[in-house]
Amino acid sequence: DYLMNFASFREKISWVMLVALAVSGAMLVMIFQPVLAAQTSGQTVDFFDRGDMAGILFQATVWLILISVVGSILLSILGPHDADAPKDERDILIERRSTHIAHIILNLGVIGCLALYFIGLNHHIMAYGLVVTLWASAFATYFTRTIFYRMN
């Protein structure tokens, strides 16, 4: 009830994006769990030899897009005056803070993935790590944005 009546449009969008990223994140776990299990047992799983992995990655991307677009459209229909409202100072500060945190996560993840490559781990693990880093950065953006909206 709070979300529909009192939350700002941008906070509602953050919630939609969190749901979309949670769904796509669950699908990414479906990809990476067999890869990590194979890696720890000494087997090699090649991303490009596993069509099901590419298919799940594609599905995760499609679900992310569908949920975010449909959710944004529904919120815009339910509150057209809110959707057209310009960002206020609070929105700008929250966006800036959450983006800053997400950039830190992105940078640390990329550096960590490069370190994995340089210590000799399978380059496929590095590629999976980069995908997870991109997802974690996006999730951190909307998670922190939601927290900042709830704090104010």
Side-chain angles (χ1 to χ4, degrees), residues 36-56:
L36 294 175
Q39 185 72 21
T40 56
S41 67
Q43 299 172 341
T44 303
V45 177
D46 189 359
F47 182 77
F48 298 105
D49 289 342
R50 299 281 313 259
D52 56 336
M53 287 182 188
I56 292 172

Side-chain angles (χ1 to χ4, degrees), residues 53-85:
M53 287 182 188
I56 292 172
L57 185 59
F58 178 76
Q59 290 174 23
T61 304
V62 168
W63 277 107
L64 175 67
I65 293 168
L66 278 174
I67 293 170
S68 62
V69 168
V70 170
S72 298
I73 290 171
L74 286 175
L75 288 175
S76 296
I77 290 170
L78 293 173
H81 58 283
D82 292 334
D84 290 336

Side-chain angles (χ1 to χ4, degrees), residues 78-134:
L78 293 173
H81 58 283
D82 292 334
D84 290 336
K87 293 179 188 175
D88 60 12
E89 185 177 337
R90 175 179 170 244
D91 291 327
I92 292 168
L93 290 174
I94 287 173
E95 185 177 315
R96 194 174 293 156
R97 286 171 56 193
S98 62
T99 302
H100 177 73
I101 292 169
H103 283 170
I104 291 170
I105 291 171
L106 180 64
N107 290 332
L108 291 175
V110 168
I111 291 168
C113 290
L114 290 172
L116 292 176
Y117 178 72
F118 288 125
I119 64 171
L121 281 181
N122 185 327
H123 62 280
H124 298 287
I125 298 297
M126 183 189 76
Y128 298 137
L130 290 172
V131 171
V132 169
T133 296
L134 289 171

